[in-house]
């Protein structure tokens, strides 16, 4: 089979590595890919968001299966465009990707079908939004841009004035462009967060091992929100009781709701959950694998990834084996100094080979320049180790990450510490 992987992050590197293990894979194209994927994929210089060029490439190169995992192309309808040309895909159609593409849509869906989530109100008029915040909201209150905003469109506001100013920035000053034209104002929830990725073909849903992201840039959950600075799996807060309840009250009802709305979801559905004192509630849905959740989940997958992906497209997931190891995994992200705001690129990276001896080194913001791997983004690498215990996985991941160096690099030093404490308490 010829496979096309759309995207260039650590998530796509991890997916490509796993897909390459399937003996029927003859060639993997990565568009646009990164410096790490270059060693076993053919890189294609097409932007992940260029639906027309990507589809034309897939058709002219006889691609059998396209794996679309970044949010933008999914929300732009890349899967629909590929399917229209007879190319099978992993990933939801545009109308199902709405579950991530519009927070207003996701909230309305949950309200209509009784799926537990934070109480909210949605607005497309700033004056009405301001009035609601003044008269009805209690602080802290959460203000969210409706559309895709690179994870930055969520503001937790300690005061009403801050919430109003956040809403004004989105609705009147177009801080997030079209994405902020509508906003969701929602109740602040408390509790540990859990990420659960699940394969689904629309009828059957198979959750993968749970994980925990670390979104803030600095140790102790300080600093700005980022795309994710590290992950561990499994997440100790996701007990078998919570998992059973999430399946019953959230996962299966979401699947049925999407079917009833004529938006059958096929691909990977990501549930961002908060484990509140009233049980698990949905913080967000993503229409795709998470990054860097994928970098801890896939190394623990024992069954074949491509087989599971093909089954989501064919509707045969119920007959497909999806198995995970009982080991633990930790991924530490190495970022460019200044990320997530402003950073330089083009620095050579050393220690990749030594680090790779004890860990998976997933590339994200790297490229091959003159035969050398150099930095080309904010999150540069994700270093993942697995071991029978979380403590060992963390130690192995850090031992490997410490071998890597480039100018101004930084990482968090406490990935997994909160999970370790939770394990000790349990
Ligand atoms: P999102 O992009 O929707 O995942 O939001 C980013 C982060 O903001 C989440 O991972 C949570 O930590 C936080 N967050 C979002 N919504 C809420 C909420 N209703 N209550 C508390 N924290 C929230
Ligand atoms: N790590 C969160 C996400 O992929 O959106």
């Amino acid at each position: 089979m010829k496979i096309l992987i759309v995207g260039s992050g650590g998530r796509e590197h991890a997916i490509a590595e796993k897909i390459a293990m399937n003996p029927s894979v003859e060639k993997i194209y990565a568009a646009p890919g990164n410096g790490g994927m270059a060693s076993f994929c053919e890189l294609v210089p097409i932007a992940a968001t260029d639906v027309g060029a990507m589809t034309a490439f897939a058709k002219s190169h006889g691609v059998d299966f396209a794996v679309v995992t970044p949010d933008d192309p999914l929300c732009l309808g890349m899967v629909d465009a590929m399917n229209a040309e007879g190319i099978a895909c992993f990933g939801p159609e545009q109308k199902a990707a709405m579950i991530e593409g519009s927070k207003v849509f996701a909230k309305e869906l949950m309200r209509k079908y009784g799926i537990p989530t934070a109480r909210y109100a949605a607005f497309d008029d700033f004056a009405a939004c301001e009035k609601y915040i003044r008269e009805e909201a209690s602080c802290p209150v959460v203000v969210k841009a409706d559309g895709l905003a690179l994870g930055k469109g969520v503001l937790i506001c300690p005061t009403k004035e801050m919430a109003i100013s956040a809403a004004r920035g989105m609705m009147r000053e177009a801080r997030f462009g079209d994405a902020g034209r509508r906003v969701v104002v929602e109740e602040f929830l408390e509790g540990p967060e859990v990420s659960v990725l699940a394969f689904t073909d629309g009828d059957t849903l198979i959750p993968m091992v749970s994980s925990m992201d670390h979104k803030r840039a600095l140790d102790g959950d300080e600093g700005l929100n980022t795309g994710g600075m590290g992950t561990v799996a499994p997440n100790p807060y996701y007990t078998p009781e919570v998992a059973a309840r999430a399946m019953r009250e959230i996962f299966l009802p979401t699947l049925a709701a999407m079917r009833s709305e004529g938006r059958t979801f096929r691909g990977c559905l990501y549930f961002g959950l908060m484990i509140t004192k009233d049980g698990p509630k949905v913080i967000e849905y993503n229409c795709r694998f998470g990054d860097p959740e994928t970098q801890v989940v896939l190394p623990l997958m024992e069954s074949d990834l491509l087989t599971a992906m093909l089954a989501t497209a064919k509707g045969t997931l119920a007959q497909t084996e999806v198995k995970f190891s009982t080991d633990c995994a930790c991924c530490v992200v190495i970022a460019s100094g200044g990320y997530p705001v402003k950073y330089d690129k083009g620095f050579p990276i050393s220690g990749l080979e030594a680090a790779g001896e004890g860990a998976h080194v997933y590339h994200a913001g790297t490229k091959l320049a003159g035969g050398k791997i150099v930095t080309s983004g904010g999150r540069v690498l994700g270093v993942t180790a697995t071991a029978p215990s979380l403590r060992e996985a963390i130690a192995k991941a850090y031992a490997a990450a410490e071998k890597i160096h480039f100018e101004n690099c930084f990482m968090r030093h406490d990935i997994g510490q909160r999970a370790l404490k939770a394990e000790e308490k349990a």
Side-chain angles (χ1 to χ4, degrees):
M1 287 184 81
K2 288 189 183 141
I3 311 290
L4 168 64
I5 299 196
V6 175
S8 61
R11 165 182 60 203
E12 283 75 25
H13 189 176
I15 288 171
E17 189 188 271
K18 201 85 184 169
I19 283 182
M21 292 174 178
N22 181 306
S24 66
V25 173
E26 158 199 335
K27 185 167 191 91
I28 303 179
Y29 295 105
N34 61 41
M37 294 165 91
S39 64
F40 64 102
C41 305
E42 182 174 329
L43 302 194
V44 181
I46 298 175
T49 47
D50 193 341
V51 174
M54 198 69 80
T55 308
F57 174 87
K59 197 161 180 227
S60 62
H61 288 73
V63 165
D64 299 292
F65 193 59
V67 177
V68 189
T69 42
D71 49 6
D72 298 304
L74 288 167
C75 292
L76 287 169
M78 189 176 282
V79 168
D80 311 58
M82 294 271 185
N83 287 346
E85 293 292 347
I87 300 158
C89 291
F90 177 76
E93 294 171 282
Q94 187 173 32
K95 61 180 188 234
M98 270 278 272
I99 200 165
E100 172 169 5
S102 167
K103 291 197 197 291
V104 175
F105 169 79
K107 295 299 287 192
E108 280 170 358
L109 186 85
M110 288 186 270
R111 178 178 281 167
K112 182 168 170 188
Y113 293 90
I115 296 164
T117 187
R119 282 193 305 269
Y120 80 101
F123 300 93
D124 54 16
D125 174 68
F126 174 67
C129 180
E130 179 176 9
K131 184 167 187 290
Y132 173 86
I133 293 172
R134 278 203 203 289
E135 293 173 7
E136 318 244 355
S138 53
C139 288
V141 63
V142 186
V143 179
K144 301 185 170 185
D146 176 51
L148 298 179
L150 297 167
K152 292 175 187 145
V154 174
L155 295 165
I156 295 170
C157 306
T159 67
K160 292 191 173 193
E161 285 315 314
M162 285 166 92
I164 291 165
S165 141
R168 184 184 298 114
M170 290 177 190
M171 305 178 82
R172 285 260 164 96
E173 291 150 22
R175 261 191 71 197
F176 298 102
D178 274 351
R181 217 182 278 285
R182 292 197 292 171
V183 304
V184 167
V185 178
E186 96 180 6
E187 166 200 19
F188 178 77
L189 296 178
E190 279 177 282
E193 286 183 56
V194 179
S195 305
V196 182
L197 315 179
F199 290 109
T200 176
D201 59 9
D203 290 311
T204 300
L205 177 138
I206 306 181
M208 301 178 222
V209 62
S210 64
S211 55
M212 182 192 287
D213 196 1
H214 297 68
K215 286 199 165 116
R216 301 291 206 92
L218 307 175
D219 286 17
D221 291 326
E222 304 276 345
L224 294 171
N225 253 321
T226 71
M229 292 298 295
T231 34
V232 292
N235 185 322
Y237 292 105
Y238 196 65
T239 60
E241 294 72 46
V242 172
R245 199 164 162 188
M247 188 64 145
R248 200 169 59 237
E249 296 177 7
I250 295 174
F251 303 166
L252 295 178
T254 300
L255 213 61
M258 290 296 276
R259 272 200 313 268
S260 306
E261 295 292 311
R263 297 173 187 272
T264 299
F265 191 101
R266 297 180 191 87
C268 172
L269 188 50
Y270 169 126
F271 299 89
L273 306 177
M274 184 92 77
I275 314 303
T276 73
K277 61 175 173 27
D278 304 317
K281 294 190 179 181
V282 177
I283 287 282
E284 64 162 343
Y285 291 115
N286 291 331
C287 64
R288 52 172 175 88
F289 275 94
D291 187 336
E293 283 88 345
T294 305
Q295 292 92 309
V296 284
V297 168
L298 291 188
L300 296 175
M301 188 170 176
E302 289 178 334
S303 42
D304 184 60
L305 175 61
L306 182 59
T307 304
M309 286 182 156
L310 288 166
T312 67
K314 282 190 284 198
T316 53
L317 201 56
Q319 299 89 263
T320 304
E321 185 193 54
V322 178
K323 238 183 102 199
F324 285 83
S325 143
T326 54
D327 277 0
C328 298
C330 173
C331 173
V332 177
V333 169
I334 310 181
S336 301
Y339 172 77
V341 184
K342 194 175 166 293
Y343 47 85
D344 294 321
K345 306 178 197 176
F347 298 122
I349 306 173
S350 65
L352 289 169
E353 232 165 84
E357 281 160 21
H360 300 264
V361 180
Y362 297 123
H363 292 231
T366 76
K367 66 174 188 193
L368 205 51
K372 276 202 198 130
I373 300 278
V374 303
T375 67
S376 68
R379 289 189 297 171
V380 176
L381 299 159
V383 180
T384 300
T386 63
S389 76
L390 185 56
R391 190 177 294 282
E392 288 165 272
I394 294 168
K396 268 174 81 178
Y398 274 104
E402 298 288 355
K403 295 185 177 146
I404 294 175
H405 184 76
F406 54 88
E407 203 168 313
N408 294 334
C409 63
F410 83 97
M411 59 177 127
R412 276 182 62 159
H413 293 90
D414 62 346
I415 301 301
Q417 291 306 317
R418 199 157 19 100
L420 272 185
K421 285 205 189 94
E423 260 190 6
E424 277 161 17
K425 264 205 257 168

